[in-house]
């Protein structure tokens, strides 16, 4: 694979209204405080700072900011949208306001794309959904389409607004934390905290947009073992990580940091732990988990977590895991630093058998 | 660029029940996956003719104009109108590419599996994803599936491609369907 360059990260999350705020808090190991969700379930939820702008205006502003900071026009870019919920929350709001539930209320995917068509002039717009690997796949396919010469730049837009269906869905699956403590790989973990996020970045074939990371390759595949969980023995996860290494022509000894998916659900943590042990054996690289800081941002986590990680690595060390000694994988209990040009492996997994592993180089 | 191995089209009565779709599928499958929604049933009916034709690491790329409409209606009714918890599989089907998961499972594929939301012009984006994976040697062959449920339709098309020397004028199903074999 030919590396592509990631630049102009934008992030609005539970850690702050912008990426600089998030980096400052993450570097200090400052966890966001969950608040009860605004529905009747009142589950702990990691909301982004309140913004009175409608969702569409918020997304338009994010695109504007990203294009402007990269000094690009929309016409020069493919827009890849990664989200599991898109704007279903807007239908939820209409129903809550008393609109009757009618099939006509259900929007087509084209109607979502048309809002951007009317406002921007992108070379093309694609809506991509592979559950919680959506943004990871957007980055991978962005890289491959740049390499295939189909586009010059790719703008990846990844977001997950709060929605009742999502909150109640994870509650129905008994995967949502009730304690409000988000602790992947902790023996007393009690599930995930969902997080609200809006993120964007530019992928370019040339390093002319002040890149902060290189995407050097990766692999994404479907494990048909079960629609809700990947094989718990970690075999498919290990295979995907191995194929990612092959695609990027990198060996396991080259990995300076492994960003785990780490949802804090029993099935995912077990499968990922087994996959890591299968691939790395006793030579496990330094580990990091980011969901305690952002929440599980579902289809957007492939971009939101990389934005936080690489922007932090530019200026700071990474905070230790507070419960490193109790974790089921060998996390560091001291701060981590990563040298320039070091290679980071980043895992993302999701429902529907979606497993993805990306390899990036710190710029 | 491409070699077209096989293509398939299916047009059904939009009013056909899910039960009838399951019966159609059951006639062709020894074992039926459970808890599939209407989009998954249509996807499987479009994928069935390709059983045994694709290498296990092939890619599968699905485009649809809507999520499964019945599933989404049921979710909104349960969660927002009735203020109840959703059925787990209705929720999972709504947040993932469940339809292409079931197709991959039926075809015994474990390569890339991508869903895109596209109604009016699905073939250009589907083919771009497939072309990128073929060009980068990620997959040896690809299956592209397009499903339509809106505007009182229930239909779709599917194409099995490999890398080759045929260059279509447009990346459209009509070109793939009439390509030299």
């Amino acid at each position: 694979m030919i590396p592509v360059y990631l630049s102009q990260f934008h992030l609005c999350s539970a850690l702050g209204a912008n990426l600089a705020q998030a980096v400052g808090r993450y570097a200090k190991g400052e966890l966001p405080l969950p608040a009860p969700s605004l529905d009747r379930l009142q589950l702990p939820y990691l909301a982004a700072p309140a913004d009175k702008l409608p969702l569409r205006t918020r997304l338009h502003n994010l695109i504007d900011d990203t294009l402007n900071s990269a000094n690009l026009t929309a016409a020069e870019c493919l827009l890849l949208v990664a989200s599991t919920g898109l704007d279903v929350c807007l239908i939820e709001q209409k129903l809550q306001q008393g609109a009757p539930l009618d099939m006509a209320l259900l929007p087509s995917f084209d109607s979502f794309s048309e809002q951007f068509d009317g406002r921007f002039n992108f070379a093309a717009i694609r809506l991509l959904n592979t559950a919680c690997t959506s943004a990871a796949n957007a980055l991978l396919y962005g890289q491959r389409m740049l390499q295939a010469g189909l586009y010059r730049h790719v703008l990846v837009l990844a977001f997950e607004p709060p929605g009742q269906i999502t909150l109640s869905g994870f509650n129905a699956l008994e995967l949502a934390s009730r304690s409000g403590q988000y602790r992947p790989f902790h023996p007393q973990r009690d599930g995930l905290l969902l997080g609200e996020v809006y993120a964007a970045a530019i992928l370019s074939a040339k390093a002319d947009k002040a890149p902060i990371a290189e995407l050097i390759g990766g692999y994404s595949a479907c494990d048909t073992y079960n629609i809700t969980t990947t094989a718990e023995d970690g075999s498919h996860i290990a295979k995907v990580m191995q194929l990612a290494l092959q695609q990027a022509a990198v060996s396991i000894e080259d990995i300076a940091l492994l960003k785990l998916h780490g949802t804090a659900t029993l099935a995912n943590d077990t499968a990922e732990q087994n996959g890591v042990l299968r691939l790395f054996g006793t030579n496990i690289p330094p580990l990091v988990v980011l969901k305690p800081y952002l929440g599980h941002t579902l289809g957007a986590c492939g971009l939101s977590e990389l934005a936080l990680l690489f922007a932090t690595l530019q200026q700071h060390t990474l905070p230790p895991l507070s419960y490193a000694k109790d974790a089921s994988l060998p996390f560091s209990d001291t701060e981590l630093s990563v040298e320039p040009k070091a290679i980071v492996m980043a895992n993302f997994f999701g429902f529907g058998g979606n497993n993805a592993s990306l390899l990036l180089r710190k710029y | 660029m491409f070699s077209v191995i096989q293509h398939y089209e299916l047009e059904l009565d939009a009013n056909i029940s899910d039960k009838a779709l399951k019966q159609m599928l059951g006639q062709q499958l020894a074992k039926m996956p459970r808890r599939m929604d209407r989009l998954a049933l249509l996807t499987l009916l479009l994928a069935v003719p390709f059983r045994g034709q694709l290498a296990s690491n092939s890619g599968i790329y699905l485009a649809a104009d809507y999520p499964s409409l019945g599933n989404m209606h049921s979710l909104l009714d349960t969660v927002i109108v009735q203020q109840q918890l959703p059925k787990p599989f209705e929720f999972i089907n709504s947040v993932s590419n469940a339809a292409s998961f079931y197709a991959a499972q039926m075809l015994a594929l474990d390569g890339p599996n991508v869903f895109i939301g596209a109604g009016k012009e699905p073939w250009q984006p589907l083919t771009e994803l497939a072309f990128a994976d073929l060009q980068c040697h990620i997959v040896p062959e690809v299956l592209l599936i397009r499903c339509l449920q809106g505007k009182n339709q229930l239909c779709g098309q599917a194409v099995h491609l490999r890398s080759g020397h045929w260059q279509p004028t447009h990346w459209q199903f009509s070109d793939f369907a009439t390509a030299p074999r």
Side-chain angles (χ1 to χ4, degrees):
Chain A
M1 296 296 292
I2 297 170
V4 297
Y5 300 90
L6 276 156
S7 66
Q8 320 306 325
F9 283 125
H10 285 70
L11 181 70
C12 173
S13 69
L15 281 180
N18 58 52
L19 183 57
Q21 286 177 14
V23 166
R25 291 183 66 188
Y26 172 50
K28 287 188 269 186
E30 194 180 316
L31 291 164
L33 287 177
S37 60
L38 294 175
D39 60 354
R40 68 184 177 84
L41 297 171
Q42 299 204 310
L43 289 168
Y45 180 72
L46 291 173
D51 188 332
K52 288 179 181 166
L53 291 174
L55 175 64
R56 291 184 177 193
T57 309
R58 197 167 188 165
L59 297 178
H60 292 173
N61 290 350
L62 180 56
I63 290 171
D64 270 332
D65 291 346
T66 309
L67 288 172
N68 291 338
S69 62
N71 198 23
L72 285 170
T73 63
E76 296 173 275
C77 300
L78 162 69
L79 174 65
L80 283 177
V81 180
S83 174
T84 63
L86 291 177
D87 56 356
V88 171
C89 60
L90 301 182
I91 307 172
E92 293 180 2
Q93 286 166 16
K94 284 181 188 169
L95 292 173
Q96 285 159 352
Q97 289 160 5
L101 177 53
D102 186 274
M103 282 296 195
L105 202 63
L106 306 181
S108 68
F109 290 117
D110 284 341
S111 70
F112 184 85
S113 300
E114 281 158 10
Q115 63 161 312
F116 298 115
D117 268 340
R119 175 75 170 69
F120 302 96
N121 181 31
F122 281 105
I125 300 171
R126 312 287 183 239
L127 310 184
L128 198 146
N129 183 359
T130 56
C132 299
T133 61
S134 299
N137 272 321
L139 293 171
L140 271 183
Y141 279 94
Q143 180 189 26
R144 292 171 190 170
M145 286 195 273
L146 288 171
Q147 183 171 334
L150 294 169
Y151 297 96
R152 293 172 58 195
H153 302 278
V154 178
L155 194 161
V156 178
L157 174 69
F159 65 97
E160 291 293 356
Q164 268 201 51
I165 286 178
T166 309
L167 284 161
S168 60
F170 280 98
N171 191 38
L173 290 165
E174 299 181 345
L175 297 177
S177 166
R178 300 196 174 268
S179 70
Q181 295 186 73
Y182 204 158
R183 299 185 294 181
F185 302 101
H186 189 285
Q188 274 90 48
R189 67 185 156 239
D190 71 339
L192 56 82
L193 288 175
L194 293 170
E196 178 181 6
V197 84
Y198 309 89
I202 297 286
L203 273 177
S204 302
K206 292 182 181 172
D208 58 354
K209 301 292 174 192
I212 61 175
E214 276 177 69
L215 177 57
I216 57 177
Y219 193 77
S220 172
C222 181
D223 179 2
T224 56
Y225 168 77
N226 187 292
I227 194 161
T228 52
T229 57
T230 188
E232 290 192 6
D233 65 3
S235 52
H236 194 267
I237 285 175
K239 180 180 167 184
V240 164
M241 289 193 289
Q242 182 65 54
L243 288 167
L245 290 167
Q246 280 177 25
Q247 285 298 328
V250 165
S251 66
I252 57 171
E253 294 79 19
D254 297 326
I255 305 299
L257 184 71
L258 173 58
K259 188 222 68 80
L260 298 159
H261 186 57
T263 58
T265 60
L266 179 62
N268 180 84
D269 280 7
T270 303
E272 187 166 25
Q273 179 172 325
N274 288 335
V276 168
L277 292 171
R278 272 175 183 260
L279 183 67
F280 292 98
T282 54
N283 300 314
I284 297 175
L287 303 171
V288 65
V289 283
L290 293 164
K291 288 182 176 61
Y293 292 91
L294 297 172
H296 192 346
T297 55
L298 303 180
C301 71
L303 183 58
S304 61
E305 294 185 8
L306 294 181
L308 180 62
L309 179 64
F310 280 93
T312 306
L313 286 172
Q314 277 205 315
Q315 304 165 26
H316 304 279
T317 54
L318 303 181
L321 190 69
S322 61
Y323 54 87
K325 286 192 171 70
D326 297 323
S328 56
L329 278 171
F331 285 87
S332 170
D333 58 3
T334 58
E335 293 181 354
L336 291 172
S337 61
V338 173
E339 299 296 316
K341 300 290 178 188
I343 295 174
V344 176
M345 175 178 258
N347 286 344
F348 303 96
F349 312 128
F351 289 148
N354 294 290
N355 291 328
S357 188
L358 273 54
L359 286 150
L360 303 105
R361 187 181 283 122
K362 182 184 170 188
Y363 203 72
Chain B
M1 181 171 278
F2 297 118
S3 171
V4 180
I5 310 303
Q6 189 183 352
H7 74 280
Y8 180 62
E9 278 185 89
L10 182 65
E11 187 159 355
L12 297 161
D13 177 353
N15 298 313
I16 191 171
S17 67
D18 287 4
K19 188 177 174 185
L21 290 174
K22 282 179 191 164
Q23 283 171 349
M24 287 173 67
L25 202 51
Q27 288 166 5
Q28 302 178 71
L29 295 179
K31 190 182 169 197
M32 282 277 287
R34 297 168 64 204
R35 302 185 181 100
M36 284 188 297
D37 61 24
R38 196 169 176 82
L39 176 59
L41 289 166
L42 177 59
T43 303
L44 259 67
L45 283 166
L46 285 159
V48 159
F50 300 91
R51 269 184 309 171
Q53 308 293 311
L54 293 126
S56 65
N57 57 341
S58 300
I60 184 165
Y61 312 82
L62 170 66
D65 55 346
Y66 285 87
S68 187
L69 287 168
N71 190 61
M72 186 54 69
H73 186 278
S74 175
L75 270 174
L76 288 164
D77 183 51
T78 305
V79 176
I80 311 298
V81 178
Q82 297 181 43
Q83 294 281 300
Q84 304 285 321
L85 290 179
K87 291 177 186 151
F89 277 84
E90 283 184 351
F91 170 64
I92 290 164
N93 288 348
S94 78
V95 293
S96 74
N97 47 334
S100 51
F101 167 87
Y102 289 119
Q105 193 176 53
M106 180 191 69
L107 298 170
L109 303 183
D110 66 356
N113 189 327
V114 182
F115 174 85
I116 56 168
K120 279 184 291 195
E121 294 172 2
W123 287 101
Q124 178 76 22
L126 280 177
T127 312
E128 283 178 3
L129 294 173
F131 175 71
D133 274 349
L134 289 168
Q135 186 87 348
C136 296
H137 306 291
I138 306 292
V139 294
E141 45 194 335
V142 296
L143 179 63
L144 314 184
I145 304 175
R146 182 264 183 113
C147 291
L148 276 173
Q149 303 169 87
K151 296 180 183 166
N152 206 30
Q153 300 170 94
L154 192 65
C155 59
Q157 300 98 25
V159 179
H160 175 190
L161 301 173
R162 290 185 193 135
S163 290
H165 300 293
W166 174 67
Q167 297 214 11
T169 312
H170 305 289
W171 289 3
Q172 297 296 333
F173 180 76
S174 53
D175 283 36
F176 295 129
T178 54
R181 307 288 158 95

